[in-house]
Amino acid sequence: MASSPLPPPDTATARTRGAARELWRAVAGRVARTAAGVHRTWRRSLQFRVVTITLVASSVLVGGFAYLIADKITSILLESAKTDVKLRLESGADYATKQVALYNQPQEAQLQETIEGTVNYLAGGDPQQTSGVVVVITAQDFPVIQSRTAPAVDGVQRLISPELREAVADGNVASQIATGRLTGERTKYLAYGSPVPTRFGQIELYYLVPLARQDATAADARATVVATGVALVVLLGLLAALVTRLVVTPVRVAARTAQRLSAGLLDQRMVVNGEDDLALLAASFNQMATNLQRQILRLEEMSRLQRRFTSDVSHELRTPLTTVRMAADLIFAERDGFDPAVARSAELLQAELDRFEELLTDLLEISRFDAGFAMLDAEPTDLVPIVHRVVERLTGLAERVGVPIEVDLPEHEVIAEVDPRRVERVLRNLVGNAVEHGEGRPVVIRLGADETAVAITVRDHGVGLKPGEEKLVFNRFWRADPSRARQTGGTGLGLSISLEDARLHGGWLEAWGAPGQGAQFRLTLPARAGDRLTTSPLRLVPEDARLPYGGPGDAAPLTIGPAPGGALAIGPAPAREPDAAGAEVPS
């Protein structure tokens, strides 16, 4: 049978490296996801943080305590073993000294037998000796005397270090701990050595005591301490979790109840159990919710009455206004036959009646917005003719005040699904205000569009807006300069109605202004009704502004449009950066 050829070494290495990289990516990804989940839980759960901190702190404390206890037990056992061996060594040294005291020379024939008998007696003749003790007698300075060990085991010399031999040879009692294998298993030994004086010099006596029993006792003590510490840490963790749960649960219930209250469910309350601090918290929360509900219902009733009053007054004034209008029209038509003063009075009466009628119309429109009865009649509409109609209607006013109107419109159609009547009304208000505050300088109207939105900007070069006024310009009946003489006789509700019209379309109405640089208003509407706006085709801050947005003395733009959830957002516009086409993209 022919064997398949093996892949080249380079190919096999590349495959191995690729598999290792894939494994590393998988492990790293799993670790990153786990870390992200733990971090997310840490940030969101107070109970998890408290339990974790308790476990870590208690583990450190219990671990340190267990280490100290285990170390203390080990030291006590070792000191006990040293004391026992030291006593035996002293007794054995005295016995050995008496046995070899009769010999004057190391070459005497009976000396070796005496040493061997002494070792055997010290190893087994003493009933206090513990099983496993090894006794050694050596004569480092007298090679003719052979070392004797009882019981006879190999490897004893390796357990006696040169340092220990040197210390004993100098006439000192010394000790060491060494690990070796004498009787089969590798065991830790406590080696003690003492000099034995004779008439011809000095020999050395060593005791090697196994510490297996002490090690086992210390290991059992450590295991007991560790098990007790682990059980204590677990109990502390469970206790911390239980205590934290008792505190966190009412807080979570209060948070959920607060969320329901903020969602409009004003009848939500917390359950009060007991008379402790948590029960006091729940009772105080319920009392606060009750007061808020009472105040909100009171304000809603007042608002409803105010809207109804405005609507009723507006409707009731229609009848007498019609009568007065008929009489004023008759007087105005015959003014040429009157005295000049009476004729002038007729003209003033006609002008004020026109303004009064516009005010009533605007009040009725505002009342419909407040009552939620305003409806959007959206249809595909070309915005270019709407801009032209607005400019034509305001040309006479612009010529009278000496403000030229410049129009920058695309050559093609700009189609969007809008309510043409409302869009024309918004543009009429914006252009009329720009002409009113133009200070004889041009008013520029621009129209832009992209795939998702259309935008119209109205730019004037008048006195502009002071810092903070762009937040007030859409308020009802607000005027930048109350002492300023009006040319158009406006009602003070135009921009408020424009705001509502933009909101009804799901669009933005934004303002920018700076002292001495004029102002610019931008209306942005979705190209398709119901779409959500994300960007505008035109810039809000004009290119000829001397200061960049956010610089000293520059006014911040105001964004007015629908917020998430259908609420109306009124506040500073989000920071935007120009895209490739020069439009601004919310950052």
Side-chain angles (χ1 to χ4, degrees):
M1 179 182 293
S3 60
S4 59
L6 296 175
D10 293 343
T11 303
T13 303
R15 290 178 180 176
T16 303
R17 291 178 179 176
R21 284 195 296 268
E22 292 296 330
L23 179 61
W24 169 254
R25 292 194 190 98
V27 173
R30 181 176 294 275
V31 171
R33 287 191 297 270
T34 303
V38 172
H39 179 66
R40 183 167 54 252
T41 305
W42 174 271
R43 292 177 56 232
R44 294 181 178 180
S45 176
L46 175 62
Q47 185 176 13
F48 179 77
R49 289 200 300 271
V50 172
V51 172
T52 302
I53 293 173
T54 302
L55 288 176
V56 171
S58 59
S59 298
V60 172
L61 293 176
V62 172
F65 179 74
Y67 174 79
L68 292 177
I69 294 297
D71 183 69
K72 188 66 175 178
I73 292 175
T74 303
S75 300
I76 292 174
L77 292 173
L78 182 60
E79 289 298 327
S80 176
K82 286 183 176 180
T83 302
D84 182 64
V85 176
K86 191 173 182 180
L87 292 175
R88 295 175 183 177
L89 181 65
E90 292 176 356
S91 175
D94 293 339
Y95 178 80
T97 301
K98 294 176 181 179
Q99 295 298 318
V100 298
L102 300 177
Y103 300 97
N104 295 320
Q105 296 295 329
Q107 295 85 4
E108 295 185 25
Q110 300 298 324
L111 178 60
Q112 194 69 41
E113 296 179 0
T114 302
I115 291 176
E116 184 172 355
T118 302
V119 169
N120 292 331
Y121 173 77
L122 294 179
D126 189 351
Q128 296 181 353
Q129 293 293 335
T130 304
S131 176
V133 175
V134 179
V135 180
V136 182
I137 292 181
T138 63
Q140 186 175 350
D141 296 334
F142 306 101
V144 297
I145 301 177
Q146 297 180 1
S147 299
R148 286 292 183 262
T149 302
V153 292
D154 296 331
V156 173
Q157 302 301 326
R158 291 193 299 270
L159 293 178
I160 302 175
S161 66
E163 292 80 6
L164 179 60
R165 293 178 183 276
E166 183 178 355
V168 175
D170 291 338
N172 301 316
V173 176
S175 65
Q176 72 169 26
I177 295 178
T179 303
R181 182 179 289 105
L182 297 180
T183 59
E185 296 183 357
R186 190 173 180 83
T187 308
K188 183 187 297 184
Y189 285 88
L190 174 61
Y192 248 99
S194 174
V196 177
T198 65
R199 291 183 179 181
F200 54 83
Q202 173 182 290
I203 62 176
E204 296 87 28
L205 172 64
Y206 295 95
Y207 272 72
L208 278 69
V209 180
L211 299 178
R213 182 173 59 84
Q214 287 80 1
D215 286 344
T217 304
D220 292 341
R222 285 193 296 269
T224 302
V225 172
V226 170
T228 304
V230 171
L232 181 60
V233 169
V234 172
L235 290 177
L236 288 176
L238 294 176
L239 181 62
L242 178 61
V243 174
T244 308
R245 182 180 179 85
L246 293 176
V247 177
V248 170
T249 299
V251 176
R252 291 176 177 172
V253 173
R256 288 194 294 267
T257 306
Q259 291 175 353
R260 297 190 186 99
L261 289 173
S262 64
L265 303 176
L266 301 179
D267 57 342
Q268 296 295 310
R269 297 294 183 271
M270 293 181 61
V271 178
V272 180
N273 294 321
E275 300 178 356
D276 55 6
D277 294 338
L278 296 178
L280 179 60
L281 171 64
S284 301
F285 185 91
N286 292 340
Q287 183 64 34
M288 179 191 68
T290 301
N291 293 335
L292 286 176
Q293 182 182 18
R294 186 183 301 113
Q295 292 295 330
I296 291 174
L297 294 177
R298 177 171 167 271
L299 292 175
E300 287 180 351
E301 182 64 19
M302 291 177 61
S303 177
R304 186 184 64 81
L305 293 176
Q306 183 180 8
R307 291 195 300 267
R308 183 175 179 180
F309 174 78
T310 303
S311 178
D312 292 344
V313 168
S314 301
H315 281 89
E316 291 297 330
L317 287 177
R318 279 291 183 181
T319 300
L321 178 62
T322 303
T323 304
V324 174
R325 163 64 70 181
M326 293 173 60
D329 289 342
L330 180 60
I331 296 174
F332 184 77
E334 301 294 335
R335 69 184 183 280
D336 294 338
F338 297 154
D339 182 80
V342 178
R344 178 57 181 165
S345 298
E347 293 175 356
L348 293 176
L349 177 62
Q350 186 73 11
E352 291 302 319
L353 280 176
D354 290 340
R355 184 182 177 191
F356 188 34
E357 191 170 10
E358 291 178 3
L359 178 59
L360 279 180
T361 302
D362 289 345
L363 286 175
L364 286 173
E365 188 70 19
I366 286 291
S367 66
R368 279 193 287 270
F369 280 120
D370 290 341
F373 294 149
M375 301 296 294
L376 183 68
D377 298 327
E379 59 184 26
T381 305
D382 185 6
L383 299 182
V384 176
I386 294 180
V387 176
H388 283 303
R389 285 200 302 269
V390 171
V391 172
E392 290 175 359
R393 292 190 58 179
L394 295 174
T395 299
L397 173 64
E399 293 176 350
R400 187 165 66 253
V401 299
V403 175
I405 300 178
E406 300 177 2
V407 180
D408 182 7
L409 302 178
E411 297 180 355
H412 54 80
E413 294 181 342
V414 179
I415 305 297
E417 295 181 5
V418 298
D419 188 334
R421 179 182 67 86
R422 296 183 184 276
V423 174
E424 184 173 349
R425 180 168 60 189
V426 172
L427 292 180
R428 189 166 60 249
N429 284 321
L430 297 180
V431 177
N433 286 337
V435 171
E436 175 74 20
H437 299 85
E439 298 291 331
R441 300 183 183 93
V443 171
V444 181
I445 305 174
R446 287 188 175 89
L447 174 61
D450 57 19
E451 296 179 355
T452 60
V454 296
I456 303 173
T457 60
V458 179
R459 171 81 162 103
D460 68 74
H461 299 81
V463 295
L465 296 174
K466 299 177 182 178
E469 288 184 345
E470 68 279 349
K471 298 180 181 179
L472 305 174
V473 70
F474 295 98
N475 291 350
R476 299 174 184 180
F477 300 108
W478 184 85
R479 293 178 63 184
D481 186 2
S483 63
R484 182 182 181 88
R486 297 188 62 89
Q487 302 291 333
T488 60
T491 63
L493 296 173
L495 289 179
S496 299
I497 296 175
S498 300
L499 181 155
E500 299 293 346
D501 285 334
R503 181 197 65 81
L504 200 60
H505 281 85
W508 299 338
L509 184 55
E510 301 163 286
W512 171 90
Q517 299 188 51
Q520 177 162 293
F521 289 79
R522 180 178 69 178
L523 173 66
T524 307
L525 303 175
R528 289 175 293 275
D531 287 357
R532 183 186 180 89
L533 289 178
T534 57
T535 184
S536 178
L538 298 178
R539 298 174 58 91
L540 175 60
V541 181
E543 296 179 355
D544 57 351
R546 292 192 299 271
L547 294 176
Y549 169 66
D554 195 11
L558 182 71
T559 297
I560 300 180
L568 179 63
I570 303 178
R576 293 177 170 84
E577 299 177 355
D579 57 10
E584 296 176 359
V585 180
S587 59

